[in-house]
Amino acid sequence: MSADETPWDDAVARGLGFLHRALGPDGLPSARPGADPELRTPLTGAEGRRHLLVTHGEDLGFDPDDEGLSAMWGLALLRPDGRRTEERELIAALARQVERYREPGTARYRCFPPGLPFPAGTDSTAVALSGLHRHGLAAPDLLDGAARELLDTRIGPDDGPIPAYWEETDRFPSHGLRYDAVSAANVLYALHLPGASGRLPHPAAEATLRYVVEHLKGPRTGTRNYASPEAFLHAAARAATVVPALVEPARRAVGHVTTQTADTPLAVALLVLAGEYAGEGEELPELRRRLLDTQRADGSWPAGGYFRAGHLPLYFGSPHLTTLFAVRALRPETTSRA
């Protein structure tokens, strides 16, 4: 085995093959909604909308069939220096796909396409920027403009953290500012990208950092927009790779997690990445073994609910999104390959 090879190369190649075969004219398929976090019964957008209306009396205002967060994470997870042709083609397709979710005339990116009654998101903007930057596709003016827009987001009279949405400029009905610790961690990561970090320090970023640290110190839970605790651990540990003040809190939080807490392949992949980012490698061999054991014959990993419709119990995920996280989890980018 050469220095560039890992014991998981075959699984990675099969996963990339599955993703490449799934490419269509619009890129990778969007995540599907479901009524439970495990996505045991994926729904169409119309079925998901009806589920919320019938069971909770709330109408999203559109059928959530088309989302861009999966493509944004694809860019953020795939390797910019990948030698495989299918990976380069995936990156090119995902870059085109992500641009469909950019708000015209702004540096903001949406989870759902522009024009729908859903607010622009600081979270989707942060993930899109990090993915574009990873592949050298974020122009300096885009990073600078996005940093300005993120930091100028209304933060309330108490100078609280950056909220998850720019609600004050959308038709989406506002019920107060929506805060989310995963979104906050992703925003911190984006604000520390070269080209964006020139606007730091800033009171909004400092308040957002305090918010993430407090969530790391609290009970191990999900967040408003992410039901899985592993989603937060992953986001916080990733942010800790560029925010020194998060290093110790993230390491302590990840160090308290055992392999038995993750009950889906998606959760396992997120914990692998959290451990890699935080420098907590003791559990990684067992977690990677569990990932290998759950890869399916077609090279994919099963869908799991990654994000949800705010406080509403509608969860989004797909085999493609899980596979993106699993492939990255099986290709460590740190010096340790535990």
Side-chain angles (χ1 to χ4, degrees), residues 58-278:
E58 301 220 26
D59 186 4
L60 279 180
F62 63 98
D63 296 345
D65 284 306
D66 182 2
E67 59 81 30
L69 193 61
S70 296
M72 296 166 193
W73 269 115
L75 280 186
L77 293 164
L78 291 173
R79 270 196 178 164
D81 58 351
R83 296 188 296 270
R84 296 181 173 91
T85 300
E86 65 264 37
E87 188 163 19
R88 294 195 297 271
E89 292 178 352
L90 274 166
I91 290 165
L94 289 169
R96 293 190 296 270
Q97 187 174 0
V98 165
E99 283 307 304
R100 289 178 29 223
Y101 302 89
R102 185 172 175 179
E103 184 74 9
T106 74
R108 302 176 182 184
Y109 288 80
R110 290 175 170 267
C111 181
F112 299 103
L116 295 179
F118 196 84
T122 60
D123 190 17
S124 50
T125 297
V127 177
L129 288 175
S130 63
L132 291 167
H133 179 269
R134 181 168 167 85
H135 299 281
L137 300 172
D141 61 334
L142 175 62
L143 285 172
D144 183 72
R148 175 182 52 78
E149 296 218 31
L150 289 168
L151 292 170
D152 288 349
T153 305
R154 181 162 56 93
I155 58 174
D158 60 347
D159 290 336
I162 295 172
Y165 304 110
W166 284 283
E167 292 192 85
E168 72 276 10
T169 59
D170 286 276
R171 292 171 291 157
F172 191 75
S174 178
H175 302 291
L177 293 176
R178 315 277 179 95
Y179 300 115
D180 183 275
V182 173
S183 171
N186 289 334
V187 166
L188 286 174
Y189 184 91
L191 286 173
H192 286 77
L193 293 172
S197 58
R199 295 188 175 273
L200 300 177
H202 188 283
E206 293 167 2
T208 304
L209 173 59
R210 290 193 297 271
Y211 180 63
V212 173
V213 170
E214 286 305 308
H215 202 83
L216 280 168
K217 292 178 178 177
R220 190 169 170 273
T221 64
T223 65
R224 179 186 180 89
N225 296 334
Y226 295 84
S228 163
E230 291 82 11
F232 171 67
L233 286 177
H234 163 259
R238 177 174 174 262
T241 63
V242 293
V243 184
L246 279 176
V247 170
E248 284 308 314
R251 182 174 293 148
R252 285 194 297 270
V254 174
H256 292 155
V257 175
T258 71
T259 59
Q260 305 308 311
T261 60
D263 54 5
T264 67
L266 177 59
V268 171
L270 291 168
L271 276 186
V272 169
L273 291 174
E276 179 186 325
Y277 293 139

Side-chain angles (χ1 to χ4, degrees), residues 297-314:
D298 63 359
S300 71
W301 278 266
Y306 178 57
F307 63 99
R308 64 181 173 187
H311 68 285
L312 300 173
L314 191 67

